[in-house]
Amino acid sequence: KAGVTQTPRYLIKTRGQQVTLSCSPISGHRSVSWYQQTPGQGLQFLFEYFSETQRNKGNFPGRFSGRQFSNSRSEMNVSTLELGDSALYLCASSWGQGAEKLFFGSGTQLSVL
Amino acid sequence: GENVEQHPSTLSVQEGDSAVIKCTYSDSASNYFPWYKQELGKGPQLIIDIRSNVGEKKDQRIAVTLNKTAKHFSLHITETQPEDSAVYFCAASRGNNNDMRFGAGTRLTVKP
C-alpha cells in the first residue's frame, strides 16, 4: 500500500507570494491533517479535513487555508508569505475523522526568502 | 490546553545499551499517547502508542509505560542499534488529533 505522498518536496518563495502544497493520503483514508514543523515551535497542528470539510483548525492566521477533494486528496495554501512561514509542512492521513493513528508524509520544505 | 514536556533533548548511547525518553503532560483528560520516530528527510512514523487504560505496552525492543497519577509516560528501547538513531517525539491527546500536542523531540544517537 502506498504511503502518504506530498508534493513538491522543496519550495523556495519570496515574501508576499503565495504557495500551494499537495497531499495524497493512503488509499482508503478519508481524513487529512496538516502540521507545521519548525525547530523553534516543533510540530503544530494546522487543520484537519474529512469528507471535503474542514473539521478542526489550529491556532494559525487566516493566510493558511486548505481544501479536500472528493478523492480525499488535499491541498494547503499559504498566502502573503512571511519569513516566519519557512518550515517543513507535513500532511498526515488517518482512516476517519479525529482518528488517532496518524500516518505522515515526508513533508514539503518551504523556504521563504 | 495540553502541554507536553519531553526529556532529554539529546541522548547518546552505545549500541546494545538501553535508551529511555520521558514525557510529562498537563491535561488529565488526555487518554492517548503515541510515540513517533522521525528519520532525516522523512516524516514522523508511529512506532508505538498506549491508551490511558493500559499501564504498559511492548512491541519487540520497544516498550512504553504510562503513569496516569504522575502524568508521565516513557519510551524504552532495549538492545539499541545504529538504525534506531533518529528524533523521537511523544504526544498526548484526548482522542481527537486536533488537540494532539507533541513534545519537542529527543535526538537519539546510537554509536556502533
PDB file of all heavy atoms in Angstrom, chain A residues 9 31 33 35 37 43 45 48 56 88 90 94 98-102 104-106, chain B residues 31-32 36 38 41-44 46 49 51 89 93-98 100 102:
ATOM      1  N   ARG A   9       8.605  18.412  -2.827  1.00  0.00           N
ATOM      2  CA  ARG A   9       9.434  18.161  -1.644  1.00  0.00           C
ATOM      3  C   ARG A   9      10.084  19.441  -1.148  1.00  0.00           C
ATOM      4  O   ARG A   9      10.276  19.615   0.047  1.00  0.00           O
ATOM      5  CB  ARG A   9      10.521  17.129  -1.976  1.00  0.00           C
ATOM      6  CG  ARG A   9      10.052  15.728  -1.981  1.00  0.00           C
ATOM      7  CD  ARG A   9       9.743  15.194  -0.566  1.00  0.00           C
ATOM      8  NE  ARG A   9      10.938  14.794   0.150  1.00  0.00           N
ATOM      9  CZ  ARG A   9      11.268  15.266   1.353  1.00  0.00           C
ATOM     10  NH1 ARG A   9      10.534  16.169   1.950  1.00  0.00           N
ATOM     11  NH2 ARG A   9      12.365  14.838   1.945  1.00  0.00           N
ATOM     12  N   SER A  31      -9.396  11.062   6.127  1.00  0.00           N
ATOM     13  CA  SER A  31      -9.053  12.260   6.890  1.00  0.00           C
ATOM     14  C   SER A  31      -7.624  12.688   6.571  1.00  0.00           C
ATOM     15  O   SER A  31      -6.712  11.858   6.509  1.00  0.00           O
ATOM     16  CB  SER A  31      -9.185  11.979   8.391  1.00  0.00           C
ATOM     17  OG  SER A  31      -8.734  13.091   9.137  1.00  0.00           O
ATOM     18  N   SER A  33      -4.780  15.655   7.780  1.00  0.00           N
ATOM     19  CA  SER A  33      -4.400  16.737   8.694  1.00  0.00           C
ATOM     20  C   SER A  33      -3.097  17.343   8.220  1.00  0.00           C
ATOM     21  O   SER A  33      -2.265  16.664   7.622  1.00  0.00           O
ATOM     22  CB  SER A  33      -4.211  16.193  10.113  1.00  0.00           C
ATOM     23  OG  SER A  33      -5.398  15.605  10.597  1.00  0.00           O
ATOM     24  N   TYR A  35       0.310  19.706   9.421  1.00  0.00           N
ATOM     25  CA  TYR A  35       1.110  20.166  10.545  1.00  0.00           C
ATOM     26  C   TYR A  35       2.262  21.021  10.025  1.00  0.00           C
ATOM     27  O   TYR A  35       2.791  20.796   8.939  1.00  0.00           O
ATOM     28  CB  TYR A  35       1.703  18.992  11.336  1.00  0.00           C
ATOM     29  CG  TYR A  35       0.698  18.257  12.181  1.00  0.00           C
ATOM     30  CD1 TYR A  35      -0.158  17.315  11.621  1.00  0.00           C
ATOM     31  CD2 TYR A  35       0.601  18.509  13.543  1.00  0.00           C
ATOM     32  CE1 TYR A  35      -1.086  16.641  12.400  1.00  0.00           C
ATOM     33  CE2 TYR A  35      -0.321  17.830  14.338  1.00  0.00           C
ATOM     34  CZ  TYR A  35      -1.156  16.905  13.752  1.00  0.00           C
ATOM     35  OH  TYR A  35      -2.065  16.242  14.523  1.00  0.00           O
ATOM     36  N   GLN A  37       6.126  22.090  11.024  1.00  0.00           N
ATOM     37  CA  GLN A  37       7.233  21.704  11.894  1.00  0.00           C
ATOM     38  C   GLN A  37       8.386  22.685  11.742  1.00  0.00           C
ATOM     39  O   GLN A  37       8.909  22.878  10.642  1.00  0.00           O
ATOM     40  CB  GLN A  37       7.720  20.275  11.581  1.00  0.00           C
ATOM     41  CG  GLN A  37       8.782  19.792  12.554  1.00  0.00           C
ATOM     42  CD  GLN A  37       9.200  18.347  12.319  1.00  0.00           C
ATOM     43  OE1 GLN A  37       9.166  17.828  11.208  1.00  0.00           O
ATOM     44  NE2 GLN A  37       9.581  17.664  13.381  1.00  0.00           N
ATOM     45  N   LEU A  43       6.185  20.579  16.317  1.00  0.00           N
ATOM     46  CA  LEU A  43       5.061  20.169  15.474  1.00  0.00           C
ATOM     47  C   LEU A  43       3.789  20.859  15.937  1.00  0.00           C
ATOM     48  O   LEU A  43       3.369  20.691  17.078  1.00  0.00           O
ATOM     49  CB  LEU A  43       4.861  18.655  15.565  1.00  0.00           C
ATOM     50  CG  LEU A  43       5.727  17.786  14.660  1.00  0.00           C
ATOM     51  CD1 LEU A  43       5.857  16.386  15.238  1.00  0.00           C
ATOM     52  CD2 LEU A  43       5.134  17.726  13.274  1.00  0.00           C
ATOM     53  N   PHE A  45      -0.330  21.747  14.944  1.00  0.00           N
ATOM     54  CA  PHE A  45      -1.497  21.370  14.147  1.00  0.00           C
ATOM     55  C   PHE A  45      -2.046  22.582  13.407  1.00  0.00           C
ATOM     56  O   PHE A  45      -2.266  23.645  13.992  1.00  0.00           O
ATOM     57  CB  PHE A  45      -2.561  20.787  15.076  1.00  0.00           C
ATOM     58  CG  PHE A  45      -3.876  20.511  14.418  1.00  0.00           C
ATOM     59  CD1 PHE A  45      -4.054  19.394  13.614  1.00  0.00           C
ATOM     60  CD2 PHE A  45      -4.948  21.364  14.628  1.00  0.00           C
ATOM     61  CE1 PHE A  45      -5.283  19.138  13.019  1.00  0.00           C
ATOM     62  CE2 PHE A  45      -6.182  21.116  14.042  1.00  0.00           C
ATOM     63  CZ  PHE A  45      -6.344  20.002  13.235  1.00  0.00           C
ATOM     64  N   GLU A  48      -7.612  19.983   9.962  1.00  0.00           N
ATOM     65  CA  GLU A  48      -7.983  18.632   9.569  1.00  0.00           C
ATOM     66  C   GLU A  48      -9.163  18.701   8.612  1.00  0.00           C
ATOM     67  O   GLU A  48     -10.100  19.480   8.824  1.00  0.00           O
ATOM     68  CB  GLU A  48      -8.375  17.786  10.784  1.00  0.00           C
ATOM     69  CG  GLU A  48      -8.824  16.371  10.395  1.00  0.00           C
ATOM     70  CD  GLU A  48      -9.559  15.647  11.512  1.00  0.00           C
ATOM     71  OE1 GLU A  48      -9.886  16.286  12.534  1.00  0.00           O
ATOM     72  OE2 GLU A  48      -9.811  14.439  11.357  1.00  0.00           O
ATOM     73  N   ASN A  56     -11.511  20.627  11.957  1.00  0.00           N
ATOM     74  CA  ASN A  56     -10.809  21.218  13.081  1.00  0.00           C
ATOM     75  C   ASN A  56      -9.734  22.149  12.583  1.00  0.00           C
ATOM     76  O   ASN A  56      -9.189  21.961  11.496  1.00  0.00           O
ATOM     77  CB  ASN A  56     -10.161  20.124  13.953  1.00  0.00           C
ATOM     78  CG  ASN A  56     -11.198  19.213  14.564  1.00  0.00           C
ATOM     79  OD1 ASN A  56     -12.015  19.629  15.354  1.00  0.00           O
ATOM     80  ND2 ASN A  56     -11.144  17.951  14.177  1.00  0.00           N
ATOM     81  N   LEU A  88       8.867  22.986   7.627  1.00  0.00           N
ATOM     82  CA  LEU A  88       8.514  21.725   6.979  1.00  0.00           C
ATOM     83  C   LEU A  88       7.014  21.534   7.201  1.00  0.00           C
ATOM     84  O   LEU A  88       6.545  21.539   8.344  1.00  0.00           O
ATOM     85  CB  LEU A  88       9.291  20.562   7.599  1.00  0.00           C
ATOM     86  CG  LEU A  88       8.992  19.171   7.034  1.00  0.00           C
ATOM     87  CD1 LEU A  88       9.448  19.069   5.579  1.00  0.00           C
ATOM     88  CD2 LEU A  88       9.666  18.094   7.884  1.00  0.00           C
ATOM     89  N   LEU A  90       3.913  19.151   6.999  1.00  0.00           N
ATOM     90  CA  LEU A  90       3.636  17.715   6.981  1.00  0.00           C
ATOM     91  C   LEU A  90       2.149  17.456   6.840  1.00  0.00           C
ATOM     92  O   LEU A  90       1.329  18.122   7.473  1.00  0.00           O
ATOM     93  CB  LEU A  90       4.140  17.070   8.277  1.00  0.00           C
ATOM     94  CG  LEU A  90       5.660  17.038   8.462  1.00  0.00           C
ATOM     95  CD1 LEU A  90       6.023  16.839   9.930  1.00  0.00           C
ATOM     96  CD2 LEU A  90       6.274  15.928   7.620  1.00  0.00           C
ATOM     97  N   SER A  94      -5.425   9.639   8.087  1.00  0.00           N
ATOM     98  CA  SER A  94      -5.953   8.644   9.003  1.00  0.00           C
ATOM     99  C   SER A  94      -7.268   8.151   8.427  1.00  0.00           C
ATOM    100  O   SER A  94      -7.851   8.774   7.550  1.00  0.00           O
ATOM    101  CB  SER A  94      -6.138   9.208  10.412  1.00  0.00           C
ATOM    102  OG  SER A  94      -6.929  10.378  10.382  1.00  0.00           O
ATOM    103  N   GLY A  98     -10.899  12.595  13.167  1.00  0.00           N
ATOM    104  CA  GLY A  98     -10.422  12.563  14.539  1.00  0.00           C
ATOM    105  C   GLY A  98      -9.712  11.276  14.907  1.00  0.00           C
ATOM    106  O   GLY A  98      -9.387  11.061  16.070  1.00  0.00           O
ATOM    107  N   ALA A  99      -9.501  10.413  13.934  1.00  0.00           N
ATOM    108  CA  ALA A  99      -8.818   9.153  14.222  1.00  0.00           C
ATOM    109  C   ALA A  99      -7.416   9.436  14.747  1.00  0.00           C
ATOM    110  O   ALA A  99      -6.741  10.343  14.293  1.00  0.00           O
ATOM    111  CB  ALA A  99      -8.757   8.290  12.967  1.00  0.00           C
ATOM    112  N   GLU A 100      -7.006   8.627  15.672  1.00  0.00           N
ATOM    113  CA  GLU A 100      -5.784   8.950  16.381  1.00  0.00           C
ATOM    114  C   GLU A 100      -4.512   8.549  15.650  1.00  0.00           C
ATOM    115  O   GLU A 100      -3.521   9.263  15.692  1.00  0.00           O
ATOM    116  CB  GLU A 100      -5.826   8.274  17.748  1.00  0.00           C
ATOM    117  CG  GLU A 100      -6.945   8.815  18.634  1.00  0.00           C
ATOM    118  CD  GLU A 100      -7.343   7.838  19.700  1.00  0.00           C
ATOM    119  OE1 GLU A 100      -7.173   6.617  19.494  1.00  0.00           O
ATOM    120  OE2 GLU A 100      -7.831   8.282  20.753  1.00  0.00           O
ATOM    121  N   LYS A 101      -4.514   7.403  15.000  1.00  0.00           N
ATOM    122  CA  LYS A 101      -3.297   6.922  14.364  1.00  0.00           C
ATOM    123  C   LYS A 101      -3.047   7.713  13.085  1.00  0.00           C
ATOM    124  O   LYS A 101      -3.786   7.609  12.113  1.00  0.00           O
ATOM    125  CB  LYS A 101      -3.407   5.427  14.058  1.00  0.00           C
ATOM    126  CG  LYS A 101      -3.424   4.559  15.302  1.00  0.00           C
ATOM    127  CD  LYS A 101      -3.374   3.092  14.945  1.00  0.00           C
ATOM    128  CE  LYS A 101      -3.577   2.200  16.161  1.00  0.00           C
ATOM    129  NZ  LYS A 101      -2.430   2.280  17.091  1.00  0.00           N
ATOM    130  N   LEU A 102      -2.003   8.503  13.138  1.00  0.00           N
ATOM    131  CA  LEU A 102      -1.657   9.358  12.006  1.00  0.00           C
ATOM    132  C   LEU A 102      -0.501   8.756  11.211  1.00  0.00           C
ATOM    133  O   LEU A 102       0.459   8.253  11.790  1.00  0.00           O
ATOM    134  CB  LEU A 102      -1.253  10.747  12.502  1.00  0.00           C
ATOM    135  CG  LEU A 102      -2.306  11.523  13.294  1.00  0.00           C
ATOM    136  CD1 LEU A 102      -1.720  12.836  13.792  1.00  0.00           C
ATOM    137  CD2 LEU A 102      -3.539  11.777  12.444  1.00  0.00           C
ATOM    138  N   PHE A 104       2.178   9.951   8.461  1.00  0.00           N
ATOM    139  CA  PHE A 104       2.726  11.176   7.891  1.00  0.00           C
ATOM    140  C   PHE A 104       3.415  10.953   6.555  1.00  0.00           C
ATOM    141  O   PHE A 104       4.015   9.894   6.315  1.00  0.00           O
ATOM    142  CB  PHE A 104       3.758  11.794   8.849  1.00  0.00           C
ATOM    143  CG  PHE A 104       3.162  12.476  10.042  1.00  0.00           C
ATOM    144  CD1 PHE A 104       2.878  11.771  11.198  1.00  0.00           C
ATOM    145  CD2 PHE A 104       2.899  13.846  10.010  1.00  0.00           C
ATOM    146  CE1 PHE A 104       2.346  12.415  12.311  1.00  0.00           C
ATOM    147  CE2 PHE A 104       2.361  14.489  11.114  1.00  0.00           C
ATOM    148  CZ  PHE A 104       2.091  13.770  12.265  1.00  0.00           C
ATOM    149  N   GLY A 105       3.354  11.983   5.712  1.00  0.00           N
ATOM    150  CA  GLY A 105       4.165  12.021   4.513  1.00  0.00           C
ATOM    151  C   GLY A 105       5.545  12.556   4.860  1.00  0.00           C
ATOM    152  O   GLY A 105       5.827  12.856   6.026  1.00  0.00           O
ATOM    153  N   SER A 106       6.406  12.679   3.852  1.00  0.00           N
ATOM    154  CA  SER A 106       7.777  13.165   4.085  1.00  0.00           C
ATOM    155  C   SER A 106       7.855  14.682   4.174  1.00  0.00           C
ATOM    156  O   SER A 106       8.886  15.227   4.545  1.00  0.00           O
ATOM    157  CB  SER A 106       8.699  12.666   2.987  1.00  0.00           C
ATOM    158  OG  SER A 106       8.816  11.258   3.053  1.00  0.00           O
TER     159      SER A 106
ATOM    160  N   ASN B  31      -5.964  10.858  26.944  1.00  0.00           N
ATOM    161  CA  ASN B  31      -6.126   9.413  27.075  1.00  0.00           C
ATOM    162  C   ASN B  31      -5.417   8.611  25.986  1.00  0.00           C
ATOM    163  O   ASN B  31      -5.542   7.400  25.908  1.00  0.00           O
ATOM    164  CB  ASN B  31      -7.619   9.057  27.092  1.00  0.00           C
ATOM    165  CG  ASN B  31      -8.330   9.540  25.841  1.00  0.00           C
ATOM    166  OD1 ASN B  31      -7.708   9.881  24.850  1.00  0.00           O
ATOM    167  ND2 ASN B  31      -9.647   9.579  25.900  1.00  0.00           N
ATOM    168  N   TYR B  32      -4.678   9.308  25.139  1.00  0.00           N
ATOM    169  CA  TYR B  32      -3.987   8.618  24.051  1.00  0.00           C
ATOM    170  C   TYR B  32      -2.578   9.186  23.943  1.00  0.00           C
ATOM    171  O   TYR B  32      -2.396  10.411  23.880  1.00  0.00           O
ATOM    172  CB  TYR B  32      -4.749   8.812  22.741  1.00  0.00           C
ATOM    173  CG  TYR B  32      -4.066   8.191  21.539  1.00  0.00           C
ATOM    174  CD1 TYR B  32      -3.899   6.809  21.453  1.00  0.00           C
ATOM    175  CD2 TYR B  32      -3.583   8.983  20.499  1.00  0.00           C
ATOM    176  CE1 TYR B  32      -3.282   6.240  20.358  1.00  0.00           C
ATOM    177  CE2 TYR B  32      -2.958   8.421  19.408  1.00  0.00           C
ATOM    178  CZ  TYR B  32      -2.811   7.053  19.343  1.00  0.00           C
ATOM    179  OH  TYR B  32      -2.189   6.475  18.260  1.00  0.00           O
ATOM    180  N   TYR B  36       6.421   8.807  18.096  1.00  0.00           N
ATOM    181  CA  TYR B  36       6.785   8.850  16.683  1.00  0.00           C
ATOM    182  C   TYR B  36       8.303   8.893  16.536  1.00  0.00           C
ATOM    183  O   TYR B  36       9.007   9.493  17.358  1.00  0.00           O
ATOM    184  CB  TYR B  36       6.180  10.082  15.999  1.00  0.00           C
ATOM    185  CG  TYR B  36       4.691   9.991  15.773  1.00  0.00           C
ATOM    186  CD1 TYR B  36       3.793  10.344  16.765  1.00  0.00           C
ATOM    187  CD2 TYR B  36       4.190   9.525  14.556  1.00  0.00           C
ATOM    188  CE1 TYR B  36       2.432  10.255  16.564  1.00  0.00           C
ATOM    189  CE2 TYR B  36       2.829   9.432  14.345  1.00  0.00           C
ATOM    190  CZ  TYR B  36       1.953   9.796  15.346  1.00  0.00           C
ATOM    191  OH  TYR B  36       0.600   9.692  15.135  1.00  0.00           O
ATOM    192  N   GLN B  38      11.242  10.033  13.791  1.00  0.00           N
ATOM    193  CA  GLN B  38      11.450  10.794  12.576  1.00  0.00           C
ATOM    194  C   GLN B  38      12.915  10.699  12.144  1.00  0.00           C
ATOM    195  O   GLN B  38      13.806  11.163  12.844  1.00  0.00           O
ATOM    196  CB  GLN B  38      11.052  12.262  12.749  1.00  0.00           C
ATOM    197  CG  GLN B  38      11.099  13.051  11.450  1.00  0.00           C
ATOM    198  CD  GLN B  38      10.528  14.458  11.593  1.00  0.00           C
ATOM    199  OE1 GLN B  38      10.469  15.028  12.674  1.00  0.00           O
ATOM    200  NE2 GLN B  38      10.087  15.042  10.474  1.00  0.00           N
ATOM    201  N   GLY B  41      14.973  13.630   6.741  1.00  0.00           N
ATOM    202  CA  GLY B  41      14.334  13.732   5.435  1.00  0.00           C
ATOM    203  C   GLY B  41      13.008  13.017   5.316  1.00  0.00           C
ATOM    204  O   GLY B  41      12.439  12.911   4.223  1.00  0.00           O
ATOM    205  N   LYS B  42      12.497  12.516   6.426  1.00  0.00           N
ATOM    206  CA  LYS B  42      11.229  11.802   6.403  1.00  0.00           C
ATOM    207  C   LYS B  42      10.249  12.402   7.396  1.00  0.00           C
ATOM    208  O   LYS B  42      10.630  13.163   8.281  1.00  0.00           O
ATOM    209  CB  LYS B  42      11.447  10.324   6.724  1.00  0.00           C
ATOM    210  CG  LYS B  42      12.319   9.584   5.725  1.00  0.00           C
ATOM    211  CD  LYS B  42      12.411   8.109   6.085  1.00  0.00           C
ATOM    212  CE  LYS B  42      13.264   7.354   5.076  1.00  0.00           C
ATOM    213  NZ  LYS B  42      13.362   5.908   5.412  1.00  0.00           N
ATOM    214  N   GLY B  43       8.995  12.028   7.247  1.00  0.00           N
ATOM    215  CA  GLY B  43       8.001  12.461   8.212  1.00  0.00           C
ATOM    216  C   GLY B  43       8.001  11.545   9.426  1.00  0.00           C
ATOM    217  O   GLY B  43       8.570  10.452   9.398  1.00  0.00           O
ATOM    218  N   PRO B  44       7.370  11.956  10.505  1.00  0.00           N
ATOM    219  CA  PRO B  44       7.289  11.114  11.698  1.00  0.00           C
ATOM    220  C   PRO B  44       6.548   9.809  11.404  1.00  0.00           C
ATOM    221  O   PRO B  44       5.578   9.802  10.639  1.00  0.00           O
ATOM    222  CB  PRO B  44       6.493  11.981  12.680  1.00  0.00           C
ATOM    223  CG  PRO B  44       6.649  13.382  12.192  1.00  0.00           C
ATOM    224  CD  PRO B  44       6.738  13.273  10.707  1.00  0.00           C
ATOM    225  N   LEU B  46       4.708   6.519  13.287  1.00  0.00           N
ATOM    226  CA  LEU B  46       4.185   5.982  14.539  1.00  0.00           C
ATOM    227  C   LEU B  46       4.884   4.650  14.852  1.00  0.00           C
ATOM    228  O   LEU B  46       4.903   3.744  14.023  1.00  0.00           O
ATOM    229  CB  LEU B  46       2.679   5.744  14.422  1.00  0.00           C
ATOM    230  CG  LEU B  46       1.975   5.142  15.628  1.00  0.00           C
ATOM    231  CD1 LEU B  46       2.002   6.100  16.813  1.00  0.00           C
ATOM    232  CD2 LEU B  46       0.531   4.767  15.285  1.00  0.00           C
ATOM    233  N   ASP B  49       1.970   3.121  20.577  1.00  0.00           N
ATOM    234  CA  ASP B  49       1.054   4.031  21.260  1.00  0.00           C
ATOM    235  C   ASP B  49       0.430   3.311  22.440  1.00  0.00           C
ATOM    236  O   ASP B  49       0.444   2.078  22.526  1.00  0.00           O
ATOM    237  CB  ASP B  49      -0.011   4.589  20.313  1.00  0.00           C
ATOM    238  CG  ASP B  49      -0.802   3.496  19.595  1.00  0.00           C
ATOM    239  OD1 ASP B  49      -0.659   2.297  19.930  1.00  0.00           O
ATOM    240  OD2 ASP B  49      -1.568   3.830  18.677  1.00  0.00           O
ATOM    241  N   ARG B  51      -2.922   3.693  25.483  1.00  0.00           N
ATOM    242  CA  ARG B  51      -4.108   4.404  25.953  1.00  0.00           C
ATOM    243  C   ARG B  51      -4.121   4.426  27.465  1.00  0.00           C
ATOM    244  O   ARG B  51      -3.445   3.635  28.118  1.00  0.00           O
ATOM    245  CB  ARG B  51      -5.369   3.738  25.405  1.00  0.00           C
ATOM    246  CG  ARG B  51      -5.419   3.767  23.897  1.00  0.00           C
ATOM    247  CD  ARG B  51      -6.701   3.217  23.320  1.00  0.00           C
ATOM    248  NE  ARG B  51      -6.594   3.167  21.860  1.00  0.00           N
ATOM    249  CZ  ARG B  51      -6.777   4.217  21.076  1.00  0.00           C
ATOM    250  NH1 ARG B  51      -7.066   5.387  21.611  1.00  0.00           N
ATOM    251  NH2 ARG B  51      -6.661   4.095  19.769  1.00  0.00           N
ATOM    252  N   PHE B  89       9.493  11.665  19.052  1.00  0.00           N
ATOM    253  CA  PHE B  89       8.510  12.601  19.591  1.00  0.00           C
ATOM    254  C   PHE B  89       7.458  11.841  20.382  1.00  0.00           C
ATOM    255  O   PHE B  89       6.936  10.828  19.924  1.00  0.00           O
ATOM    256  CB  PHE B  89       7.790  13.358  18.467  1.00  0.00           C
ATOM    257  CG  PHE B  89       8.656  14.301  17.692  1.00  0.00           C
ATOM    258  CD1 PHE B  89       9.266  13.878  16.522  1.00  0.00           C
ATOM    259  CD2 PHE B  89       8.858  15.594  18.120  1.00  0.00           C
ATOM    260  CE1 PHE B  89      10.075  14.738  15.791  1.00  0.00           C
ATOM    261  CE2 PHE B  89       9.653  16.468  17.400  1.00  0.00           C
ATOM    262  CZ  PHE B  89      10.268  16.038  16.233  1.00  0.00           C
ATOM    263  N   SER B  93      -3.081  13.322  23.626  1.00  0.00           N
ATOM    264  CA  SER B  93      -4.330  13.918  23.164  1.00  0.00           C
ATOM    265  C   SER B  93      -5.518  13.308  23.900  1.00  0.00           C
ATOM    266  O   SER B  93      -5.406  12.271  24.554  1.00  0.00           O
ATOM    267  CB  SER B  93      -4.507  13.716  21.651  1.00  0.00           C
ATOM    268  OG  SER B  93      -5.043  12.443  21.375  1.00  0.00           O
ATOM    269  N   ARG B  94      -6.669  13.948  23.755  1.00  0.00           N
ATOM    270  CA  ARG B  94      -7.905  13.437  24.338  1.00  0.00           C
ATOM    271  C   ARG B  94      -8.584  12.451  23.398  1.00  0.00           C
ATOM    272  O   ARG B  94      -9.629  11.920  23.709  1.00  0.00           O
ATOM    273  CB  ARG B  94      -8.861  14.590  24.612  1.00  0.00           C
ATOM    274  CG  ARG B  94      -8.403  15.554  25.661  1.00  0.00           C
ATOM    275  CD  ARG B  94      -9.452  16.616  25.891  1.00  0.00           C
ATOM    276  NE  ARG B  94      -9.065  17.552  26.938  1.00  0.00           N
ATOM    277  CZ  ARG B  94      -9.865  18.499  27.404  1.00  0.00           C
ATOM    278  NH1 ARG B  94     -11.089  18.623  26.923  1.00  0.00           N
ATOM    279  NH2 ARG B  94      -9.459  19.313  28.348  1.00  0.00           N
ATOM    280  N   GLY B  95      -8.008  12.266  22.217  1.00  0.00           N
ATOM    281  CA  GLY B  95      -8.614  11.328  21.278  1.00  0.00           C
ATOM    282  C   GLY B  95      -8.990  11.955  19.959  1.00  0.00           C
ATOM    283  O   GLY B  95      -9.457  11.284  19.073  1.00  0.00           O
ATOM    284  N   ASN B  96      -8.834  13.236  19.825  1.00  0.00           N
ATOM    285  CA  ASN B  96      -9.026  13.911  18.537  1.00  0.00           C
ATOM    286  C   ASN B  96      -7.689  14.491  18.110  1.00  0.00           C
ATOM    287  O   ASN B  96      -7.031  15.164  18.890  1.00  0.00           O
ATOM    288  CB  ASN B  96     -10.044  15.047  18.648  1.00  0.00           C
ATOM    289  CG  ASN B  96     -11.415  14.543  18.972  1.00  0.00           C
ATOM    290  OD1 ASN B  96     -11.904  13.608  18.363  1.00  0.00           O
ATOM    291  ND2 ASN B  96     -12.042  15.171  19.941  1.00  0.00           N
ATOM    292  N   ASN B  97      -7.286  14.256  16.890  1.00  0.00           N
ATOM    293  CA  ASN B  97      -5.936  14.703  16.536  1.00  0.00           C
ATOM    294  C   ASN B  97      -5.806  16.210  16.468  1.00  0.00           C
ATOM    295  O   ASN B  97      -4.719  16.724  16.374  1.00  0.00           O
ATOM    296  CB  ASN B  97      -5.454  14.039  15.240  1.00  0.00           C
ATOM    297  CG  ASN B  97      -6.300  14.397  14.045  1.00  0.00           C
ATOM    298  OD1 ASN B  97      -6.831  15.494  13.961  1.00  0.00           O
ATOM    299  ND2 ASN B  97      -6.424  13.483  13.110  1.00  0.00           N
ATOM    300  N   ASN B  98      -6.903  16.947  16.585  1.00  0.00           N
ATOM    301  CA  ASN B  98      -6.757  18.391  16.572  1.00  0.00           C
ATOM    302  C   ASN B  98      -6.190  18.904  17.880  1.00  0.00           C
ATOM    303  O   ASN B  98      -5.657  20.004  17.936  1.00  0.00           O
ATOM    304  CB  ASN B  98      -8.084  19.078  16.302  1.00  0.00           C
ATOM    305  CG  ASN B  98      -9.060  18.846  17.450  1.00  0.00           C
ATOM    306  OD1 ASN B  98      -9.325  17.709  17.793  1.00  0.00           O
ATOM    307  ND2 ASN B  98      -9.565  19.908  18.032  1.00  0.00           N
ATOM    308  N   MET B 100      -3.959  17.064  19.628  1.00  0.00           N
ATOM    309  CA  MET B 100      -2.744  16.317  19.919  1.00  0.00           C
ATOM    310  C   MET B 100      -1.569  17.284  20.060  1.00  0.00           C
ATOM    311  O   MET B 100      -1.302  18.075  19.163  1.00  0.00           O
ATOM    312  CB  MET B 100      -2.443  15.295  18.821  1.00  0.00           C
ATOM    313  CG  MET B 100      -1.294  14.369  19.168  1.00  0.00           C
ATOM    314  SD  MET B 100      -1.052  13.051  17.982  1.00  0.00           S
ATOM    315  CE  MET B 100      -2.539  12.099  18.195  1.00  0.00           C
ATOM    316  N   PHE B 102       2.511  17.690  20.750  1.00  0.00           N
ATOM    317  CA  PHE B 102       3.752  16.948  20.623  1.00  0.00           C
ATOM    318  C   PHE B 102       4.817  17.503  21.554  1.00  0.00           C
ATOM    319  O   PHE B 102       4.866  18.717  21.803  1.00  0.00           O
ATOM    320  CB  PHE B 102       4.268  17.028  19.188  1.00  0.00           C
ATOM    321  CG  PHE B 102       3.488  16.193  18.205  1.00  0.00           C
ATOM    322  CD1 PHE B 102       2.323  16.668  17.633  1.00  0.00           C
ATOM    323  CD2 PHE B 102       3.933  14.923  17.864  1.00  0.00           C
ATOM    324  CE1 PHE B 102       1.595  15.900  16.734  1.00  0.00           C
ATOM    325  CE2 PHE B 102       3.216  14.148  16.964  1.00  0.00           C
ATOM    326  CZ  PHE B 102       2.052  14.631  16.403  1.00  0.00           C
TER     327      PHE B 102
END
